[in-house]
Amino acid sequence: MRISIPISAFVAAIVGFGGTLAVVIAAAKAVGATQAETASWVTAVCVAMAIECLWLSWRTKIPIITAWSTPGLALMAASSGFTMADAVGAFIVTGLMLIATGLFKPLTQLISRIPASVASGMLAGIVVTFALNAVKTIPVDPWLILPLIAAFFVIRLFNPALSVLAVLIGGGIAAFLTGRVGGLPAPELSTLTLIAPHFSAAAVIGLALPLYLVTMASQNLSGLAVLRAAGYHPEPGPLIGVTGLFSLLSAPFGGSTTNLAAISAAICTGPDVHPDPAERWKTGPFYALAYLIFAVFGASLVAIFAVLPQSLIVLVAGLALMGSLANALAIALKDEYQRMAATVTFVVTASGLTLFGVGAAFWGLVAGLVVLFLEAVKKR
């Protein structure tokens, strides 16, 4: 076995975990999760991803890589008025919808028919808040933030995948050396916390449905595209169904929705991993091993994030989503005839509008589809 297989898997895992953990922390804070619940969240979702990758890669002999739904977490972090119990209820409902999508092929086809411009406009509206908040950290602590921003844009010229991770590690070390961190917490092993769910119409419509749509349109469909680009053509239903099943099983412990990965998958599916495509599936077990390690030390990692400066966490979350924002805007505005619908979706979603207890992502999607419908009527 080539050494490039485990190296690629571990790099993908470290980039995926370290580069977006700040978004998980932001989502947990938005729903009022305690530190113990946040640690359980991270542990549960890491275990779910490890089992998914191990099983799917071995079963299909294809490098199936999964991840947590970063756009979905951004959606939660940008929401307000929901509790951790609401979030767990939303995770359960989303898991059930993903299972149904995997079992019934027409559902996958229906989601794929949502115009990419509108779906991307919704995603851009969700993540733009993080980019703006990252800029707002500059006057809070310019001597820490400005060098980190400069380092991010320089490093991404050579290795975009590691740029966010470099900022996180470099920023953490700088904060510690300059006295911005009082002291590092003692190492501790992770534990799972059972959280009773709360189901409400507002949480289902405002959290679960947008989370499902974002996960499908921005993550699962992109993950399938990465696999196809690498020469693999798996049946989508079983993959989506399995991620839905483990999302459902991890939800009572706070685990957020998991899905097919795109960026991490690209690291594990290319010719640099192995010249023989039939051998690349072996990255799956090593990727799973890395996430089992993250699961064991999830409590310590969350505790470390808790003592880091808030401005650093906000900056890392914003930089981690910068690529998603750029890609979403490019897709949203690509089609001239759908540009207005995408813009309306973006504006309504970014506004943070809450109406009848339902969040902005849902109303942004509705508004964009209405504008698109009116445009279609005019054409006829």
Side-chain angles (χ1 to χ4, degrees), residues 84-103:
M84 186 60 191
D86 292 324
V88 171
F91 295 153
I92 290 173
V93 173
T94 304
L96 290 171
M97 287 194 286
L98 288 172
I99 292 172
T101 303
L103 292 175

Side-chain angles (χ1 to χ4, degrees), residues 75 82 90 93 97 200-213 355-363 366:
L75 162 72
F82 296 108
V93 173
M97 287 194 286
S200 67
V204 169
I205 300 174
L207 277 183
L209 183 58
L211 176 58
Y212 166 74
L213 292 173
L355 195 60
F356 307 118
V358 178
F362 174 78
W363 296 120
V366 170

